Structure formats: structure tokens, C-alpha cells
Amino acid sequence: MTALIEIQHLCKRFGASKVVDDLTFQVDRGEVLGFLGPNGAGKSTTMKMVTGFLTPTSGTVCIGGQSITEKPLQSRRQIGYLPEGAPLYADMTPAALLDFVAGIRGLRGETKRQRIADVVSRIQLGDVLNQRIDTLSKGFKRRVGLAQAILHDPQVLILDEPTDGLDPNQKQEVRSLIQEMASDKAIVISTHILEEVEAVCSRALIIANGKLVADGTPQELEARSRYHNAVSLQLSAEQAPLAAARLPQLDWIDSCQTLDNRTLLIFPEGGQSVIRAVAQLATTEGWQVEQIYQQGGKLDDVFRDLTDTAGARS
Amino acid sequence: MNTLGIIIKRELAGYFLTPVAYVFIVIFLFLNGIFTFYLGGFFDSGYASLQPFFEFHPFLYLFLMPAVAMRLWAEERKSGTIELLMTLPVSLWQAVVGKFLAAWLFTAVAVALTFPMWITVSYLGDPDHGVIAAGYLGSLLMAGSYLAIGACISAVTKNQVIAFVVSVMICFLLLITGFPSTLEVFTGWMPDLLVETLRSFSFLTHFDAITRGVVEIKDMVFFLSMILFWLYANAVVVELKKAG
């Protein structure tokens, strides 16, 4: 059983600049892959190659075992794609657009009517179905784009910034929609909203300057943060300086940072979990703890580290 | 309906979604009337023929056909919908041919609406219907050639105005090579064979032949190969430029 999306040594060059540089990864059924990277890192270019819009300079993309360059039509049939910015025919109504896409997707008659009705109710497009698309709000446009992508119930779903421009409620709706569909599909979403990755993705890739710099579950990536297992400790204003002096002397503590005059951030040696030890120490020293918690790590911190260093290297 | 049919239907509906189609048809019929009756001297000629009507089509189409074709690809590229279209299971050929056929069908509708001319001339006299039918055929073939050029140029740029101006320019060049005054410039110092080749590349030469009622294979082949050549170029341009 091969993965639904298989990408091998994918490269794209525009003139002299290498936009995508030797990307290799796979996405299996049931996975939601978050594609992360700063603007201009090559996320959209990669997605355009995966969906067959752009021809790779070198490397291969296989969708369901078929090469997208050798069997373009067969592989495109298995893909649902929301391009960057959700471009749509502005003169058409959502009803006409969905009918057009459904027709091209080979849906006919009653099946077509049924599928369109399903998707419209699922994405809640009923109210705007007969309005011209250029009169719709950004949120509705994005939803129409999403609707046309899932119309034929594709195995592979590629969504380029699916929640961009949506309000918090709409974002939540789109995320739950993605999660609902995740079990029998391979889904790739690109985003620069890191909380989204934590919310919906089972795996995240970070790319910078076209190169893959990290690949793992959101938790694994967070663990690479220097904030991973750091303990935040809030004491009274008198005791905080004492603790700040005492803590770094312990060998299981790497360093200690004073955030404001009452809160300390304690970085453990080697990333181990030290919250119990800190709590015990506080009791023996007689510190009055007002708040204590352990941080999971910050994805944006990992993101910054990885993408910045990659930027400096090239 | 197959994929090609669905593309044609969408494109054709696209003309009628905006006032463009109605404005175009009204202006087309209006200009046809003016050209035929005033400039062409339809009544003064005293002949029961549509010659004065067809005579102006090459010049009318020079501006109207690029206007019909300019949006075909330029708009897709500007709005980014080309990415939507070209990632659907649609082959490049289906997209190129579908768009062209939609524009051609739309033009055919406009041309068909000139039927009162035919009725008028039949009422007033006894025209040669075969020649008139040939005239319509020639007119449509020439319109198709203009449209194929317009569609190809429309794929080169995201700007519809540029697409229009450049298409008019190319169509104009392909038109004037058949003018006697243009040919005179080249006659004498250029080998006769070259002058003749130049003349044979003109829309005018072939159009005139057909509208006189002489439907020859070589004129048909000229227009059809003109269309095929520009559609091929269109496909190449779309493939090259779609990313930009």
C-alpha cells in the first residue's frame, strides 16, 4: 500500500532562483499535513506542482500511485484543490460554478444534484447560492472555493490557506470540516497560523527557502522549542529575587529568566520535566507559590528558529 | 455533456452574464446596417445581392473580433481562475478549443441575427442564394481566424486592453497584405513569387473569393489552417505563461 501523495526530490526553478529545493515527503490516508513556512518559502509553488498546475523542474509527484505529469487527467480526478486566494469566476453564481465544476468532475443527473446539495448544506452556502460571486464577502468566497474542492469527494485534498480571511467562527467551522473529512483522505493544508496546525494537523512540515527543515507531529516540533518543559513560577515580589538567585545553582536547572518582578521562567537542563522538583523545592524553601505551570513549548518559537537559521545559512 | 461541451457552455454563458453580449450584438447589427446602406450603397447598386453587406465584414471584424476574444484567457490569468480551470480534469486542448468555439458560436449568433438582410434582398429582387450562403460561410470562417488570433494574444497578457490592441494590429497586418496598394509597394523590386505569397496570406484575398460565390478548397483550407495554427500557438502560450 503506497501513500496517497508521494513526492520525491521535487525541485522548481524560476530563472536562476530555486523556489523549491529537493522536497521529499509522503502523505497517507487519514493524515492532515500542515505545510508551514514564511511567505515566499515555496509553499504555494509546491502545492501548484502537487496539483499539476506547474510542471516540476525535476522530481516526481505521484497521486494514488500515478504520476501527475504522466497521467495528468487521471491524477487530477483524485484531487480537490483550493488554490491560493480562492480564485473563482466572479461573474458566476455559486450555484452555476458548482454545477460547472461538478459537470467537469463527471457528475451527472441525480448524483450531481445530490452531491451539490450535500456540499451546500455542509458548507452552509444555501443563502448565497444565487448571488454573483463578486458580491460575496471574503468568507463566503473562501467557502465556495472549499465547496468546489470537496464536491467530488476526492481522496486527496490540497488546501492553500483555507482559513485566510475568515472570522474566528468561520475558521472553527472550516477546521472541524477538515477534521470530519480527515479519516478517509490525505489532506494537505498550508497556513501560517500556527494554532491551526495544533488544532487540526496530525503532522507538520516546515519549509524555508524551498528546503524541508522540519517534519513531525506538532508535539514533536514543540518539543524542539527551548520553552519545552520550561516552568513558569509566580511568587510574591519579595521572594522572587531570592528564588532567582537560588535556582540557577541547582544542577538540574539550565537557566532562569525573570519575566517581571514576580514571575520566573525556569529552563531545565536537557529539556527534562522538572515541575515536581520545582514545586518540592518551593515547599522546602518556604516560597509562597501563586502560580506554577509547565509549558509545552511554543511552535512559533520553533518556527522562527528553523526558518531564520535557514535564511541566514543561504 | 462531455467536458468540451461543458466548457463551451460556461464560456458562452459568460458572454451573456454581463451586458457585453447585448452591447456587442446591438453595435454589430447597427454598424452592419450603416456600412451596408450608407457606405456600401445597397440600394443604389441596383443589384439583388448582399455584396455591399459582406464587403465591410473584414473591417468590422478587425475591431469586433479582438473585442470578443480579449477576455478569453487574459481574464483567467488576471483573476487566477486559470489555476482552478487547469487543475480540473481538463486537458489543455479541451480548454483552448472550448474557449475558441464558445467565442465563435457567440459570433455566429450575432451574424445569424443579420438574417433580415437576406429577407430584404429576397423580397426586393431575386438574389443568388448560393452566393449569399457562401458569403455567410466566408464571413464566419474569417471571423474564426480573427478570433483564433485574438484568443492566442489574450493568453500572452493579463491585460485585456493590451490583448485587444495587439490582436487588432496583427489582424490588420494580415488584412492589408491583400490590398492592391500594399502589393504595389512590393511589386517590381521583390520577386513575383514573394509578392504572390504575401498576397496569399491575406484574409482579404480569400474572403473576396468566397463571397463572390467561389467556394474553393484552397480558401477553406487557408482559413481552417489559420485557425488551427493560432489555436496551437494559443495552447503553447497558455502552457508557458500560466504560471506567471
Side-chain angles (χ1 to χ4, degrees):
Chain A
M1 178 70 200
T2 50
L4 277 178
I5 308 175
E6 257 193 283
I7 287 156
Q8 301 276 350
H9 305 293
L10 195 65
C11 294
K12 183 70 187 177
R13 213 187 270 274
F14 289 123
S17 66
K18 236 177 182 181
V19 181
V20 174
D21 190 359
D22 199 22
L23 277 189
T24 298
F25 63 91
Q26 300 177 352
V27 190
D28 285 318
R29 194 184 298 277
E31 268 191 305
V32 181
L33 182 75
F35 210 46
L36 297 173
N39 289 330
K43 299 192 294 283
S44 290
T45 306
T46 305
M47 290 185 142
K48 283 172 185 171
M49 286 192 282
V50 173
T51 53
F53 182 63
L54 290 182
T55 313
T57 307
S58 63
T60 56
V61 174
C62 287
I63 305 293
Q66 282 175 323
S67 159
I68 191 110
T69 38
E70 282 160 27
K71 304 230 168 174
L73 297 191
Q74 285 93 321
S75 14
R76 279 188 220 162
R77 282 196 187 99
Q78 305 181 51
I79 303 178
Y81 178 38
L82 173 70
E84 188 182 18
L88 299 165
Y89 293 107
D91 290 340
M92 297 175 96
T93 62
L97 184 94
L98 293 180
D99 186 73
F100 167 70
V101 174
I104 295 276
R105 292 291 188 189
L107 300 168
R108 296 286 181 273
E110 185 54 26
T111 333
K112 175 164 89 171
R113 209 191 53 76
Q114 192 58 49
R115 273 305 298 168
I116 293 178
D118 271 4
V119 167
V120 164
S121 72
R122 204 164 177 182
I123 306 201
Q124 295 160 24
L125 282 174
D127 293 341
V128 298
L129 218 44
N130 294 306
Q131 281 181 34
R132 275 168 58 109
I133 288 173
D134 56 2
T135 66
L136 300 180
S137 69
K138 206 173 174 191
F140 270 122
K141 283 182 189 163
R142 187 75 36 153
R143 284 199 260 173
V144 175
L146 206 56
Q148 65 78 25
I150 64 171
L151 205 50
H152 56 301
D153 196 21
Q155 296 193 73
V156 171
L157 204 50
I158 313 276
L159 308 173
D160 203 343
E161 301 189 348
T163 60
D164 187 41
L166 301 185
D167 68 34
N169 294 338
Q170 293 167 336
K171 276 185 188 167
Q172 195 47 52
E173 280 164 27
V174 169
R175 284 174 197 164
S176 42
L177 182 73
I178 291 171
Q179 276 169 328
E180 270 171 47
M181 294 188 299
S183 61
D184 62 340
K185 296 186 197 313
I187 303 179
V188 180
I189 63 170
S190 85
T191 179
H192 41 238
I193 308 166
L194 295 160
E195 50 168 301
E196 194 154 286
V197 176
E198 289 163 51
V200 297
C201 296
S202 58
R203 210 174 114 208
L205 295 185
I206 301 180
I207 63 168
N209 295 311
K211 290 191 186 71
L212 189 66
V213 290
D215 178 355
T217 65
Q219 292 74 31
E220 280 166 5
L221 293 183
E222 279 166 5
R224 295 166 70 158
S225 163
R226 65 194 183 93
Y227 292 100
H228 180 62
N229 286 348
V231 172
S232 170
L233 179 68
Q234 191 179 338
L235 302 169
S236 66
E238 303 84 58
Q239 288 174 332
L242 300 174
R246 172 82 181 89
L247 284 163
Q249 294 166 5
L250 300 164
D251 55 2
W252 43 272
I253 283 173
D254 177 59
S255 66
C256 178
Q257 192 183 334
T258 313
L259 293 183
D260 55 48
N261 57 6
R262 300 167 58 184
T263 315
L264 304 175
L265 192 58
I266 302 154
F267 294 100
E269 187 68 51
Q272 54 186 321
S273 178
V274 293
I275 186 163
R276 278 157 193 262
V278 172
Q280 223 156 33
L281 183 73
T283 323
T284 47
E285 297 280 334
W287 298 336
Q288 280 176 346
V289 178
E290 290 177 7
Q291 208 181 53
I292 179 167
Y293 63 90
Q294 177 170 291
Q295 296 197 349
K298 292 179 184 166
L299 204 51
D300 57 353
D301 184 52
V302 179
F303 180 81
R304 207 166 39 236
D305 270 1
L306 288 170
T307 54
D308 262 4
T309 50
R313 227 184 286 134
S314 67
Chain B
M1 220 184 323
N2 60 8
T3 306
L4 186 64
I6 293 167
I7 292 178
I8 294 175
K9 189 180 149 207
R10 198 203 74 76
E11 287 292 335
L12 202 54
Y15 283 108
F16 291 96
L17 284 175
T18 54
V20 173
Y22 306 100
V23 170
F24 175 84
I25 288 175
V26 168
I27 290 182
F28 176 76
L29 296 176
F30 178 71
L31 288 178
N32 252 320
I34 291 204
F35 282 153
T36 312
F37 292 110
Y38 290 95
L39 298 172
F42 178 68
F43 291 118
D44 301 339
S45 70
Y47 290 107
S49 102
L50 283 185
Q51 195 64 39
F53 165 70
F54 289 120
E55 210 171 304
F56 290 97
H57 279 189
F59 306 95
L60 193 57
Y61 288 171
L62 180 58
F63 293 98
L64 291 181
M65 293 305 117
V68 171
M70 67 183 185
R71 58 178 273 282
L72 288 177
W73 290 98
E75 195 170 83
E76 295 258 7
R77 284 190 51 207
K78 188 173 180 128
S79 66
T81 46
I82 190 170
E83 197 171 344
L84 190 70
L85 181 67
M86 301 314 286
T87 52
L88 287 172
V90 170
S91 72
L92 183 59
W93 271 106
Q94 285 168 333
V96 168
V97 173
K99 277 171 176 290
F100 165 75
L101 286 180
W104 206 7
L105 263 171
F106 172 69
T107 308
V109 170
V111 171
L113 287 173
T114 61
F115 71 91
M117 292 283 187
W118 198 339
I119 294 177
T120 309
V121 81
S122 307
Y123 177 76
L124 293 174
D126 184 22
D128 185 336
H129 293 289
V131 174
I132 294 179
Y136 273 109
L137 175 72
S139 178
L140 277 179
L141 282 172
M142 190 178 53
S145 309
Y146 279 120
L147 286 173
I149 293 171
C152 175
I153 302 304
S154 152
V156 177
T157 169
K158 288 181 186 178
N159 187 318
Q160 295 194 31
V161 177
I162 293 176
F164 175 78
V165 173
V166 174
S167 306
V168 169
M169 202 53 225
I170 293 176
C171 294
F172 181 65
L173 288 176
L174 282 168
L175 192 60
I176 58 160
T177 50
F179 275 34
S181 51
T182 315
L183 290 169
E184 243 169 53
V185 175
F186 297 104
T187 325
W189 60 274
M190 239 161 83
D192 285 353
L193 188 67
L194 268 180
V195 177
E196 197 47 40
T197 312
L198 206 59
R199 202 180 73 88
S200 71
F201 266 102
S202 168
F203 287 154
L204 216 51
T205 315
H206 299 275
F207 179 67
D208 280 349
I210 297 181
T211 49
R212 278 200 307 272
V214 189
V215 183
E216 272 195 80
I217 296 289
K218 70 167 183 225
D219 300 318
M220 307 275 287
V221 168
F222 168 78
F223 282 122
L224 291 176
S225 40
M226 203 57 154
I227 291 171
L228 284 180
F229 169 79
W230 286 100
L231 289 184
Y232 176 76
N234 188 347
V236 171
V237 171
V238 170
E239 189 58 37
L240 285 176
K241 302 275 283 187
K242 66 183 179 184

